[in-house]
Amino acid sequence: MKQDETAPAAGRVAAIRGSVVDMRFESGLPSIHAMLRTGRKEEVRIEVLTQLDCRHVRGIALTPTEGLCRGMAVHNTGMPLQAPVGNAVLSRMFDVFGNTIDRRDPPSGLSWRPVHQAPPPLSVRSTDSGVFETGIKVIDLLVPLERGGKAGLFGGAGVGKTVLLTEMIHNMVSNQSGVSIFCGIGERCREGEELYREMSSAGVLDNMVMVFGQMNEPPGSRFRVGHAALTMAEYFRDDLHRDVLLLIDNIFRFIQAGSEISGMMGQMPSRLGYQPTIGTELSGIEERIASTANGAITSIQAVYVPADDFTDPAAVHTFSHLSASLVLSRKRAGEGFYPAVDPLASGSKMAGEGIVGQRHYHLAREARRVLAQYDELKDIIAMLGIEQLSAEDRRLVARARRLERFLTQPFFSTERFSGMPGRLVPIGDTIAGCERILRDEFLEYPEQALYMIGCIGEAQEKGRISLAEHEADRR
């Protein structure tokens, strides 16, 4: 980014409190969101958040402030934080400033755009609702995602949010012509390195961009990296007319970074210590994710739920922006059902008969009914045993247990850990398999024959092998 020669550079550092820096300008007070540079080699970058008076501004440092002291010169770049855009960003990994962090030469032919953009006006937004097929059975059947919509993966630590996001990237880039942008907000550097290596080995890196504001970086960097990724996504949608899959891991860290900044800026905390501007800040980033006549930005966001408490303000505010909510269950993960999506707690506005069709709608309702009744019977089974149930209830339990296992699926992103080849299942095969299970066609097959498979035909093959082995043991 070149410095604007007309912008005044007469400023001095007045006070430093962690990442919050006060600066004095004798003339030409910087505007809100202007980027300032200071430090011995101008390595400290500060974004203006508040004009305190006619001489002083207060900003948040997007880089560490070690070595900064009062009286140092401050230079106003005259422009806000900018992100690189263009085809050259594909297959690369960037930080919040647009610097490459993949140990390769910087790309050439890039353009730069401010990260602060207004959401598209309602007059240009698309009103068409289409289903975004993921190839993951439990999602496509019970919680269909919206093309151009926003879906949230809710769950505590260790239930598989990042693995599910990684699988969706693989399926999107491998089978569709869109662009995937992965935005890591406050996540571990290990996850970024693993994702880059996995996508490179899978051969899907050419249609991907990765942007990271990692866990060890200042809150200002974590707070703005989402805006940088969105700016790249808007370029592909509006200029190149391509569909974009924007994956954010983790949107809770964006809210958390805003809370840290709010506290350092001296704002009065709101409920449970969150910033009073949580709704405004989250809306500023969520409303930019939209479909237009040029293309669609489909966003899937991991949402960490503190202490598995879904009444936490971060989860509540995020819920209001989503068209689909995938709730990941720690209990299901502990039982070995992966992906650990809770079919009864998850929901989507796309699951209506007018959108997915009559056959899909009624099948999903029947599947939910069977799973809900099985959930109610679990306490009776635990106390009295399954033998105390009626014959009809025992058939329902057998049906539900086979359906649960059929909705598990081996992932491409976990092949090297599980030893099972990944499966991508078209929605038609998922519907056909569930119909056959609900018609009790697989009551004679062992439950494990339906566990971690793709299409229902695999269960028939595993079932025949299992029955043959059983007969051989009897002889």
Side-chain angles (χ1 to χ4, degrees):
M1 292 182 291
K2 297 180 179 179
Q3 181 173 321
D4 188 347
E5 296 179 357
T6 63
R12 296 285 173 182
V13 175
I16 309 162
R17 293 182 300 279
S19 293
V20 175
V21 183
D22 290 353
M23 295 148 287
R24 178 181 176 86
F25 286 80
E26 297 300 331
S27 61
L29 201 66
S31 60
I32 302 296
H33 294 155
M35 286 298 297
L36 313 178
R37 306 189 69 154
T38 184
R40 290 185 174 85
K41 297 180 181 179
E42 294 194 352
E43 73 279 6
V44 180
R45 303 188 189 185
I46 302 169
E47 183 181 62
V48 176
L49 295 185
T50 306
Q51 293 179 342
L52 299 175
D53 53 40
C54 61
R55 291 286 183 269
H56 293 84
V57 296
R58 178 170 293 168
I60 186 75
L62 275 62
T63 54
T65 56
E66 285 85 359
L68 198 63
C69 61
R70 286 184 295 174
M72 280 188 168
V74 180
H75 295 276
N76 180 10
T77 65
M79 59 183 70
L81 178 66
Q82 297 193 332
V85 295
N87 276 322
V89 302
L90 292 173
S91 80
R92 304 304 301 270
M93 184 187 294
F94 297 91
D95 64 10
V96 68
F97 303 107
N99 302 318
T100 54
I101 54 175
D102 51 10
R103 298 182 180 178
R104 293 161 56 190
D105 294 334
S108 58
L110 293 178
S111 301
W112 296 82
R113 290 188 179 176
V115 302
H116 301 283
Q117 302 284 348
L122 294 177
S123 58
V124 303
R125 297 194 182 215
S126 173
T127 57
D128 295 333
S129 290
V131 173
F132 179 83
E133 189 172 334
T134 65
I136 299 172
K137 291 183 287 189
V138 66
I139 296 176
D140 290 340
L141 176 70
L142 300 176
V143 200
L145 307 186
E146 180 185 11
R147 178 184 175 273
K150 296 178 278 286
L153 299 178
F154 291 85
V159 293
K161 298 186 297 297
T162 301
V163 172
L164 195 51
L165 282 181
T166 305
E167 185 70 7
M168 289 184 182
I169 292 176
H170 183 280
N171 294 354
M172 164 74 175
V173 178
S174 300
N175 300 281
Q176 302 188 38
S177 59
V179 175
S180 289
I181 298 179
F182 184 91
C183 177
I185 305 178
E187 291 302 299
R188 305 163 186 84
C189 58
R190 166 185 59 80
E191 294 176 343
E193 187 273 335
E194 288 177 354
L195 176 67
Y196 183 85
R197 182 159 30 86
E198 288 171 5
M199 295 299 106
S200 179
S201 61
V204 299
L205 201 59
D206 290 342
N207 284 312
M208 270 195 70
V209 187
M210 283 172 275
V211 191
F212 284 94
Q214 294 172 358
M215 187 177 283
N216 63 315
E217 296 184 18
S221 175
R222 289 181 269 124
F223 192 60
R224 290 299 181 216
V225 70
H227 296 84
L230 257 173
T231 303
M232 296 180 185
E234 289 168 340
Y235 169 81
F236 286 108
R237 180 193 66 191
D238 299 333
D239 292 49
L240 300 187
H241 299 177
R242 298 183 69 177
D243 288 347
V244 181
L245 177 62
L246 175 64
L247 300 113
I248 301 177
D249 188 9
N250 188 301
I251 199 68
F252 172 80
R253 306 296 179 194
F254 168 79
I255 297 172
Q256 191 178 50
S259 179
E260 293 179 45
I261 293 172
S262 174
M264 289 187 291
M265 294 291 289
Q267 295 179 348
M268 184 69 69
S270 182
R271 182 168 167 241
L272 295 185
Y274 286 100
Q275 64 271 39
T277 54
I278 179 174
T280 304
E281 292 169 358
L282 190 60
S283 298
I285 199 169
E286 295 284 4
E287 289 303 306
R288 291 171 62 180
I289 303 170
S291 296
T292 67
N294 297 324
I297 299 177
T298 303
S299 177
I300 302 173
Q301 307 167 12
V303 187
Y304 169 69
V305 181
D308 292 340
D309 179 14
F310 285 88
T311 64
D312 187 88
V316 171
H317 279 84
T318 307
F319 263 123
S320 62
H321 293 280
L322 304 176
S323 57
S325 300
L326 292 162
V327 178
L328 301 183
S329 164
R330 191 175 305 280
K331 181 181 177 183
R332 292 183 66 80
E335 293 172 348
F337 295 122
Y338 292 105
V341 176
D342 188 333
L344 302 180
S346 305
S348 171
K349 75 172 190 179
M350 302 298 291
E353 185 175 356
I355 298 175
V356 298
Q358 186 178 33
R359 179 190 180 202
H360 184 166
Y361 172 73
H362 288 293
L363 179 68
R365 286 195 63 182
E366 177 63 15
R368 285 182 185 273
R369 185 190 68 80
V370 169
L371 293 173
Q373 288 184 329
Y374 173 49
D375 197 56
E376 293 173 358
L377 292 171
K378 283 181 179 178
D379 289 340
I380 299 175
I381 296 171
M383 289 185 294
L384 303 177
I386 196 170
E387 295 80 9
Q388 301 302 316
L389 299 179
S390 66
E392 178 58 32
D393 283 345
R394 286 199 296 272
R395 280 195 298 273
L396 183 139
V397 169
R399 196 179 307 144
R401 289 176 63 86
R402 283 159 177 76
L403 184 62
E404 277 186 331
R405 282 151 180 77
F406 177 66
L407 293 179
T408 61
Q409 187 168 340
F411 283 172
F412 293 96
S413 56
T414 59
E415 283 182 359
R416 60 195 178 108
F417 304 110
S418 65
M420 294 182 286
R423 299 286 193 277
L424 187 146
V425 185
I427 182 61
D429 292 345
T430 300
I431 292 173
C434 289
E435 280 180 334
R436 295 181 63 184
I437 292 171
L438 294 176
R439 289 199 300 260
D440 292 338
E441 291 185 21
F442 288 87
L443 284 183
E444 301 301 323
Y445 286 77
E447 295 174 357
Q448 285 301 110
L450 291 100
Y451 180 68
M452 283 294 175
I453 62 171
C455 299
I456 197 69
E458 295 182 38
Q460 294 176 300
E461 182 63 28
K462 289 176 67 176
R464 280 194 292 267
I465 294 173
S466 179
L467 289 173
E469 292 175 348
H470 183 66
E471 288 296 324
D473 291 341
R474 287 179 59 187
R475 292 195 189 104

